[in-house]
Amino acid sequence: MNPTLRKPLIAGNWKMYKTVREAVETARELVQFTAAVNVDVMIAPPFTALAPVADVVKGTSIALGAQNLFWKNEGAYTGEISPVMLSDIGCQYAIIGHSERRQYFGDTDESVNAKIRAALEHQLIPVFCVGETETQREAKETFSVLDKQVTKGLEGFSSESLSRLLVIAYEPVWAIGTGKTATTDQVQEVHAFLRSLVEKRFDNLLAKSVRILYGGSVKPDNVTEIMNMPDVDGALVGGASLSAKVFNSIIHFHH
Ligand code: PGA
């Protein structure tokens, strides 16, 4: 992590967990814990809880994120949520292209690209997720898979349109929800690769400022060593973000 260039971001992805009451309760607890925090904190509750949680975190150091969005502003798209609706309730971030969406809901590099564009147009910070599966890692395809995801996901954007906004989350699919974390060497190797890829596709300025988060079984007892890697700028936390106490100890990692 290089805090002079990049403020760490610890993001909680609540996935399809919590009723409105449970989400509001967890958010309230978290607000009390994080009054004086020196990293950026974001939580992404399910859509039904976004507006009520927005009221709880308003004016606090916790930012609100969506777990997905559709790229149109409005229209006959049953079941979808637009970036306009998300901005309207105070969302600042949107997780885009999470591997669960790619795996179960048909997100592709092309739709991910359209979603990132829509997020940027509405001043939502995209948390753009990439990662290889276990089979791809074993076949030594990790770097080519990531190259394709990043290149296609960010196709057509200028460095200026992404600067100070883009967040990339490296989430090896085999480490999500499995309790298996990548080793710090594996994490650093991929993060350095992703940063150099951003430099190759865009420029040095964007490469230096883009925040690259690690995600996949991040817990209080492994967050510090992961965050100490030079190219890790934060964490995208699933399971361990559901409890305010546990997530709080991740937010207060030692650095
Ligand atoms: P996990 O999920 O922390 O439960 O592994 C991470 C994620 O999917 O963002």
Side-chain angles (χ1 to χ4, degrees), residues 146-193:
L146 293 170
D147 190 326
K148 179 171 165 280
Q149 288 175 344
V150 169
T151 304
K152 292 198 153 196
L154 299 181
E155 199 173 301
F157 297 121
S158 66
S159 172
E160 295 72 43
S161 67
L162 298 171
S163 74
R164 276 174 282 109
L165 282 175
L166 179 66
V167 175
I168 296 177
Y170 169 56
E171 298 205 307
V173 178
W174 48 273
I176 296 176
T178 56
K180 282 192 211 171
T181 6
T183 65
T184 48
D185 285 349
Q186 286 172 327
V187 173
Q188 173 54 29
E189 185 187 31
V190 170
H191 281 229
F193 169 78

Short mmCIF file of all heavy atoms in Angstrom, two decimals, residues 146-193:
data_model
loop_
_atom_site.label_atom_id
_atom_site.label_comp_id
_atom_site.label_asym_id
_atom_site.label_seq_id
_atom_site.Cartn_x
_atom_site.Cartn_y
_atom_site.Cartn_z
N LEU A 146 -6.92 -12.24 -16.77
CA LEU A 146 -7.02 -10.90 -16.19
C LEU A 146 -6.81 -9.83 -17.26
O LEU A 146 -7.48 -8.80 -17.28
CB LEU A 146 -6.01 -10.73 -15.06
CG LEU A 146 -6.27 -11.61 -13.82
CD1 LEU A 146 -5.09 -11.55 -12.86
CD2 LEU A 146 -7.55 -11.17 -13.11
N ASP A 147 -5.87 -10.08 -18.15
CA ASP A 147 -5.59 -9.13 -19.24
C ASP A 147 -6.87 -8.91 -20.05
O ASP A 147 -7.27 -7.77 -20.32
CB ASP A 147 -4.46 -9.68 -20.12
CG ASP A 147 -3.96 -8.65 -21.12
OD1 ASP A 147 -4.78 -7.84 -21.60
OD2 ASP A 147 -2.76 -8.65 -21.44
N LYS A 148 -7.54 -10.01 -20.39
CA LYS A 148 -8.76 -9.91 -21.20
C LYS A 148 -9.87 -9.17 -20.42
O LYS A 148 -10.54 -8.29 -20.96
CB LYS A 148 -9.21 -11.30 -21.61
CG LYS A 148 -10.47 -11.35 -22.43
CD LYS A 148 -10.72 -12.75 -22.99
CE LYS A 148 -12.13 -12.93 -23.50
NZ LYS A 148 -13.14 -13.19 -22.46
N GLN A 149 -10.05 -9.55 -19.16
CA GLN A 149 -11.11 -8.90 -18.37
C GLN A 149 -10.88 -7.40 -18.25
O GLN A 149 -11.80 -6.59 -18.43
CB GLN A 149 -11.18 -9.53 -16.97
CG GLN A 149 -11.76 -10.94 -16.98
CD GLN A 149 -11.72 -11.62 -15.62
OE1 GLN A 149 -11.00 -11.18 -14.72
NE2 GLN A 149 -12.48 -12.69 -15.46
N VAL A 150 -9.63 -7.01 -17.96
CA VAL A 150 -9.33 -5.59 -17.77
C VAL A 150 -9.41 -4.85 -19.11
O VAL A 150 -10.03 -3.77 -19.21
CB VAL A 150 -7.92 -5.39 -17.14
CG1 VAL A 150 -7.50 -3.93 -17.18
CG2 VAL A 150 -7.92 -5.91 -15.70
N THR A 151 -8.82 -5.43 -20.15
CA THR A 151 -8.78 -4.75 -21.44
C THR A 151 -10.19 -4.55 -21.98
O THR A 151 -10.56 -3.45 -22.40
CB THR A 151 -7.92 -5.55 -22.43
OG1 THR A 151 -6.62 -5.71 -21.83
CG2 THR A 151 -7.79 -4.85 -23.76
N LYS A 152 -11.02 -5.59 -21.92
CA LYS A 152 -12.39 -5.46 -22.44
C LYS A 152 -13.27 -4.63 -21.52
O LYS A 152 -14.09 -3.84 -21.96
CB LYS A 152 -13.01 -6.84 -22.65
CG LYS A 152 -12.34 -7.60 -23.77
CD LYS A 152 -13.22 -8.73 -24.24
CE LYS A 152 -12.92 -9.05 -25.69
NZ LYS A 152 -13.97 -9.85 -26.31
N GLY A 153 -13.10 -4.83 -20.22
CA GLY A 153 -13.92 -4.08 -19.26
C GLY A 153 -13.68 -2.58 -19.35
O GLY A 153 -14.59 -1.79 -19.12
N LEU A 154 -12.45 -2.19 -19.69
CA LEU A 154 -12.12 -0.76 -19.71
C LEU A 154 -11.96 -0.22 -21.13
O LEU A 154 -11.46 0.89 -21.33
CB LEU A 154 -10.83 -0.51 -18.91
CG LEU A 154 -10.89 -0.88 -17.42
CD1 LEU A 154 -9.57 -0.56 -16.73
CD2 LEU A 154 -12.04 -0.16 -16.70
N GLU A 155 -12.42 -1.00 -22.12
CA GLU A 155 -12.28 -0.59 -23.51
C GLU A 155 -13.04 0.70 -23.79
O GLU A 155 -14.19 0.86 -23.38
CB GLU A 155 -12.84 -1.71 -24.39
CG GLU A 155 -12.37 -1.66 -25.83
CD GLU A 155 -12.84 -2.91 -26.58
OE1 GLU A 155 -12.48 -4.04 -26.18
OE2 GLU A 155 -13.58 -2.73 -27.56
N GLY A 156 -12.39 1.62 -24.48
CA GLY A 156 -13.07 2.85 -24.91
C GLY A 156 -13.03 3.98 -23.91
O GLY A 156 -13.56 5.06 -24.18
N PHE A 157 -12.42 3.76 -22.74
CA PHE A 157 -12.35 4.86 -21.76
C PHE A 157 -11.03 5.60 -21.90
O PHE A 157 -10.01 5.00 -22.25
CB PHE A 157 -12.45 4.33 -20.33
CG PHE A 157 -13.77 3.67 -20.03
CD1 PHE A 157 -13.82 2.35 -19.63
CD2 PHE A 157 -14.95 4.36 -20.16
CE1 PHE A 157 -15.02 1.73 -19.36
CE2 PHE A 157 -16.17 3.75 -19.90
CZ PHE A 157 -16.21 2.43 -19.49
N SER A 158 -11.05 6.89 -21.57
CA SER A 158 -9.80 7.64 -21.54
C SER A 158 -9.25 7.58 -20.12
O SER A 158 -9.99 7.33 -19.17
CB SER A 158 -10.06 9.09 -21.93
OG SER A 158 -10.87 9.69 -20.93
N SER A 159 -7.96 7.81 -20.03
CA SER A 159 -7.32 7.85 -18.72
C SER A 159 -7.98 8.92 -17.84
O SER A 159 -8.21 8.70 -16.65
CB SER A 159 -5.83 8.14 -18.92
OG SER A 159 -5.23 8.36 -17.70
N GLU A 160 -8.33 10.05 -18.46
CA GLU A 160 -8.94 11.16 -17.70
C GLU A 160 -10.29 10.75 -17.11
O GLU A 160 -10.62 11.10 -15.99
CB GLU A 160 -9.17 12.41 -18.59
CG GLU A 160 -7.91 13.07 -19.11
CD GLU A 160 -7.20 12.25 -20.19
OE1 GLU A 160 -7.89 11.71 -21.07
OE2 GLU A 160 -5.97 12.10 -20.11
N SER A 161 -11.08 10.00 -17.89
CA SER A 161 -12.41 9.64 -17.40
C SER A 161 -12.33 8.67 -16.21
O SER A 161 -13.27 8.56 -15.43
CB SER A 161 -13.26 9.04 -18.52
OG SER A 161 -12.73 7.79 -18.92
N LEU A 162 -11.21 7.98 -16.09
CA LEU A 162 -11.07 7.00 -15.00
C LEU A 162 -10.29 7.55 -13.81
O LEU A 162 -10.37 7.00 -12.71
CB LEU A 162 -10.34 5.76 -15.52
CG LEU A 162 -11.04 4.99 -16.65
CD1 LEU A 162 -10.11 3.92 -17.22
CD2 LEU A 162 -12.33 4.35 -16.15
N SER A 163 -9.55 8.63 -14.03
CA SER A 163 -8.64 9.08 -12.96
C SER A 163 -9.40 9.53 -11.72
O SER A 163 -10.45 10.15 -11.80
CB SER A 163 -7.73 10.19 -13.46
OG SER A 163 -8.46 11.37 -13.57
N ARG A 164 -8.87 9.20 -10.62
CA ARG A 164 -9.43 9.45 -9.28
C ARG A 164 -10.75 8.71 -9.04
O ARG A 164 -11.39 8.89 -8.02
CB ARG A 164 -9.58 10.95 -9.01
CG ARG A 164 -8.29 11.58 -8.51
CD ARG A 164 -8.36 13.07 -8.36
NE ARG A 164 -8.23 13.73 -9.65
CZ ARG A 164 -9.21 14.35 -10.28
NH1 ARG A 164 -10.40 14.43 -9.75
NH2 ARG A 164 -9.00 14.90 -11.45
N LEU A 165 -11.19 7.89 -9.97
CA LEU A 165 -12.45 7.19 -9.78
C LEU A 165 -12.28 5.68 -9.77
O LEU A 165 -12.79 5.00 -8.88
CB LEU A 165 -13.43 7.57 -10.90
CG LEU A 165 -14.11 8.92 -10.75
CD1 LEU A 165 -14.97 9.22 -11.97
CD2 LEU A 165 -14.99 8.95 -9.49
N LEU A 166 -11.56 5.18 -10.75
CA LEU A 166 -11.53 3.73 -10.93
C LEU A 166 -10.96 2.98 -9.73
O LEU A 166 -9.92 3.33 -9.18
CB LEU A 166 -10.70 3.38 -12.17
CG LEU A 166 -10.58 1.88 -12.46
CD1 LEU A 166 -11.92 1.29 -12.85
CD2 LEU A 166 -9.54 1.62 -13.55
N VAL A 167 -11.69 1.95 -9.32
CA VAL A 167 -11.18 0.99 -8.33
C VAL A 167 -11.27 -0.39 -8.98
O VAL A 167 -12.30 -0.73 -9.57
CB VAL A 167 -12.06 0.99 -7.05
CG1 VAL A 167 -11.60 -0.08 -6.07
CG2 VAL A 167 -12.05 2.37 -6.37
N ILE A 168 -10.19 -1.14 -8.91
CA ILE A 168 -10.21 -2.52 -9.42
C ILE A 168 -10.18 -3.45 -8.21
O ILE A 168 -9.45 -3.19 -7.24
CB ILE A 168 -8.99 -2.80 -10.34
CG1 ILE A 168 -9.06 -1.92 -11.60
CG2 ILE A 168 -8.94 -4.28 -10.75
CD1 ILE A 168 -7.86 -2.07 -12.54
N ALA A 169 -10.98 -4.50 -8.23
CA ALA A 169 -10.91 -5.50 -7.15
C ALA A 169 -10.45 -6.82 -7.76
O ALA A 169 -11.13 -7.36 -8.64
CB ALA A 169 -12.26 -5.66 -6.48
N TYR A 170 -9.31 -7.30 -7.28
CA TYR A 170 -8.84 -8.62 -7.72
C TYR A 170 -9.41 -9.66 -6.77
O TYR A 170 -9.09 -9.68 -5.58
CB TYR A 170 -7.31 -8.67 -7.72
CG TYR A 170 -6.81 -10.10 -7.89
CD1 TYR A 170 -7.21 -10.87 -8.98
CD2 TYR A 170 -5.97 -10.70 -6.95
CE1 TYR A 170 -6.80 -12.19 -9.13
CE2 TYR A 170 -5.54 -12.02 -7.09
CZ TYR A 170 -5.97 -12.75 -8.19
OH TYR A 170 -5.56 -14.06 -8.33
N GLU A 171 -10.28 -10.50 -7.31
CA GLU A 171 -10.90 -11.54 -6.49
C GLU A 171 -10.73 -12.90 -7.16
O GLU A 171 -11.54 -13.25 -8.05
CB GLU A 171 -12.39 -11.24 -6.31
CG GLU A 171 -12.64 -9.94 -5.58
CD GLU A 171 -13.99 -9.95 -4.88
OE1 GLU A 171 -15.01 -10.23 -5.53
OE2 GLU A 171 -14.00 -9.69 -3.68
N PRO A 172 -9.71 -13.65 -6.79
CA PRO A 172 -9.59 -14.99 -7.37
C PRO A 172 -10.82 -15.80 -6.98
O PRO A 172 -11.17 -15.88 -5.79
CB PRO A 172 -8.31 -15.55 -6.71
CG PRO A 172 -7.98 -14.65 -5.57
CD PRO A 172 -8.68 -13.34 -5.79
N VAL A 173 -11.51 -16.34 -7.98
CA VAL A 173 -12.80 -16.99 -7.74
C VAL A 173 -12.67 -18.12 -6.72
O VAL A 173 -13.55 -18.32 -5.88
CB VAL A 173 -13.40 -17.50 -9.09
CG1 VAL A 173 -14.71 -18.23 -8.86
CG2 VAL A 173 -13.61 -16.33 -10.04
N TRP A 174 -11.54 -18.80 -6.75
CA TRP A 174 -11.31 -19.93 -5.85
C TRP A 174 -11.11 -19.50 -4.39
O TRP A 174 -11.10 -20.34 -3.49
CB TRP A 174 -10.10 -20.75 -6.33
CG TRP A 174 -8.90 -19.92 -6.66
CD1 TRP A 174 -8.62 -19.34 -7.87
CD2 TRP A 174 -7.82 -19.56 -5.79
NE1 TRP A 174 -7.45 -18.64 -7.80
CE2 TRP A 174 -6.94 -18.76 -6.53
CE3 TRP A 174 -7.52 -19.83 -4.45
CZ2 TRP A 174 -5.77 -18.22 -6.00
CZ3 TRP A 174 -6.36 -19.30 -3.91
CH2 TRP A 174 -5.50 -18.50 -4.68
N ALA A 175 -10.97 -18.21 -4.15
CA ALA A 175 -10.76 -17.74 -2.78
C ALA A 175 -12.01 -17.10 -2.19
O ALA A 175 -12.03 -16.71 -1.03
CB ALA A 175 -9.60 -16.75 -2.75
N ILE A 176 -13.08 -16.97 -3.01
CA ILE A 176 -14.29 -16.29 -2.53
C ILE A 176 -15.16 -17.24 -1.73
O ILE A 176 -15.61 -18.27 -2.25
CB ILE A 176 -15.09 -15.70 -3.71
CG1 ILE A 176 -14.27 -14.60 -4.40
CG2 ILE A 176 -16.41 -15.13 -3.22
CD1 ILE A 176 -14.93 -14.02 -5.63
N GLY A 177 -15.38 -16.89 -0.49
CA GLY A 177 -16.29 -17.66 0.36
C GLY A 177 -15.80 -19.07 0.67
O GLY A 177 -16.56 -19.91 1.14
N THR A 178 -14.54 -19.34 0.40
CA THR A 178 -14.04 -20.70 0.56
C THR A 178 -13.14 -20.84 1.78
O THR A 178 -12.79 -21.96 2.16
CB THR A 178 -13.19 -21.10 -0.66
OG1 THR A 178 -12.14 -20.15 -0.83
CG2 THR A 178 -14.03 -21.17 -1.91
N GLY A 179 -12.72 -19.70 2.35
CA GLY A 179 -11.76 -19.77 3.45
C GLY A 179 -10.34 -19.90 2.93
O GLY A 179 -9.38 -19.81 3.69
N LYS A 180 -10.19 -20.10 1.62
CA LYS A 180 -8.84 -20.18 1.03
C LYS A 180 -8.43 -18.77 0.62
O LYS A 180 -9.10 -18.16 -0.23
CB LYS A 180 -8.88 -20.97 -0.28
CG LYS A 180 -8.94 -22.46 -0.16
CD LYS A 180 -8.68 -23.04 -1.57
CE LYS A 180 -9.41 -24.34 -1.76
NZ LYS A 180 -9.37 -24.81 -3.15
N THR A 181 -7.37 -18.25 1.17
CA THR A 181 -6.90 -16.95 0.68
C THR A 181 -5.70 -17.19 -0.21
O THR A 181 -4.94 -18.13 0.00
CB THR A 181 -6.36 -16.02 1.79
OG1 THR A 181 -6.33 -16.75 3.01
CG2 THR A 181 -7.13 -14.76 1.92
N ALA A 182 -5.51 -16.29 -1.15
CA ALA A 182 -4.29 -16.33 -1.93
C ALA A 182 -3.14 -15.98 -0.98
O ALA A 182 -3.33 -15.27 0.01
CB ALA A 182 -4.38 -15.31 -3.06
N THR A 183 -1.94 -16.48 -1.24
CA THR A 183 -0.80 -16.11 -0.41
C THR A 183 -0.47 -14.65 -0.71
O THR A 183 -0.82 -14.13 -1.78
CB THR A 183 0.43 -16.97 -0.73
OG1 THR A 183 0.84 -16.68 -2.08
CG2 THR A 183 0.14 -18.46 -0.58
N THR A 184 0.25 -14.01 0.21
CA THR A 184 0.59 -12.61 -0.03
C THR A 184 1.45 -12.47 -1.29
O THR A 184 1.33 -11.48 -2.01
CB THR A 184 1.31 -12.01 1.18
OG1 THR A 184 2.34 -12.91 1.58
CG2 THR A 184 0.37 -11.76 2.33
N ASP A 185 2.27 -13.47 -1.58
CA ASP A 185 3.09 -13.42 -2.80
C ASP A 185 2.22 -13.47 -4.05
O ASP A 185 2.43 -12.73 -5.01
CB ASP A 185 4.09 -14.59 -2.86
CG ASP A 185 5.25 -14.38 -1.90
OD1 ASP A 185 5.38 -13.25 -1.37
OD2 ASP A 185 6.01 -15.34 -1.68
N GLN A 186 1.20 -14.36 -4.00
CA GLN A 186 0.28 -14.46 -5.15
C GLN A 186 -0.48 -13.14 -5.33
O GLN A 186 -0.65 -12.67 -6.45
CB GLN A 186 -0.73 -15.59 -4.94
CG GLN A 186 -0.15 -16.99 -5.11
CD GLN A 186 -1.15 -18.08 -4.71
OE1 GLN A 186 -1.96 -17.89 -3.79
NE2 GLN A 186 -1.10 -19.22 -5.39
N VAL A 187 -0.93 -12.56 -4.22
CA VAL A 187 -1.69 -11.31 -4.28
C VAL A 187 -0.82 -10.20 -4.86
O VAL A 187 -1.20 -9.51 -5.82
CB VAL A 187 -2.23 -10.90 -2.89
CG1 VAL A 187 -2.88 -9.53 -2.93
CG2 VAL A 187 -3.22 -11.93 -2.36
N GLN A 188 0.37 -10.04 -4.30
CA GLN A 188 1.25 -8.97 -4.76
C GLN A 188 1.61 -9.15 -6.24
O GLN A 188 1.61 -8.19 -7.01
CB GLN A 188 2.51 -8.89 -3.89
CG GLN A 188 3.59 -7.91 -4.38
CD GLN A 188 3.09 -6.48 -4.62
OE1 GLN A 188 2.13 -6.02 -3.98
NE2 GLN A 188 3.70 -5.77 -5.56
N GLU A 189 1.86 -10.39 -6.64
CA GLU A 189 2.23 -10.65 -8.03
C GLU A 189 1.12 -10.19 -8.99
O GLU A 189 1.38 -9.51 -9.97
CB GLU A 189 2.48 -12.17 -8.20
CG GLU A 189 2.99 -12.55 -9.57
CD GLU A 189 3.07 -14.07 -9.77
OE1 GLU A 189 2.24 -14.81 -9.18
OE2 GLU A 189 3.96 -14.51 -10.52
N VAL A 190 -0.13 -10.55 -8.64
CA VAL A 190 -1.24 -10.17 -9.51
C VAL A 190 -1.49 -8.66 -9.46
O VAL A 190 -1.73 -8.03 -10.49
CB VAL A 190 -2.53 -10.96 -9.14
CG1 VAL A 190 -3.74 -10.38 -9.86
CG2 VAL A 190 -2.37 -12.43 -9.49
N HIS A 191 -1.43 -8.08 -8.27
CA HIS A 191 -1.68 -6.64 -8.17
C HIS A 191 -0.65 -5.84 -8.96
O HIS A 191 -1.00 -4.87 -9.64
CB HIS A 191 -1.72 -6.20 -6.70
CG HIS A 191 -3.03 -6.51 -6.03
ND1 HIS A 191 -3.73 -5.58 -5.28
CD2 HIS A 191 -3.76 -7.65 -6.02
CE1 HIS A 191 -4.85 -6.15 -4.85
NE2 HIS A 191 -4.88 -7.41 -5.27
N ALA A 192 0.61 -6.25 -8.89
CA ALA A 192 1.66 -5.56 -9.65
C ALA A 192 1.39 -5.73 -11.14
O ALA A 192 1.54 -4.79 -11.93
CB ALA A 192 3.03 -6.10 -9.28
N PHE A 193 0.94 -6.94 -11.52
CA PHE A 193 0.61 -7.20 -12.93
C PHE A 193 -0.53 -6.27 -13.39
O PHE A 193 -0.46 -5.65 -14.45
CB PHE A 193 0.21 -8.66 -13.12
CG PHE A 193 -0.40 -8.95 -14.46
CD1 PHE A 193 0.40 -9.08 -15.59
CD2 PHE A 193 -1.78 -9.06 -14.61
CE1 PHE A 193 -0.16 -9.33 -16.85
CE2 PHE A 193 -2.35 -9.31 -15.85
CZ PHE A 193 -1.54 -9.44 -16.97
#
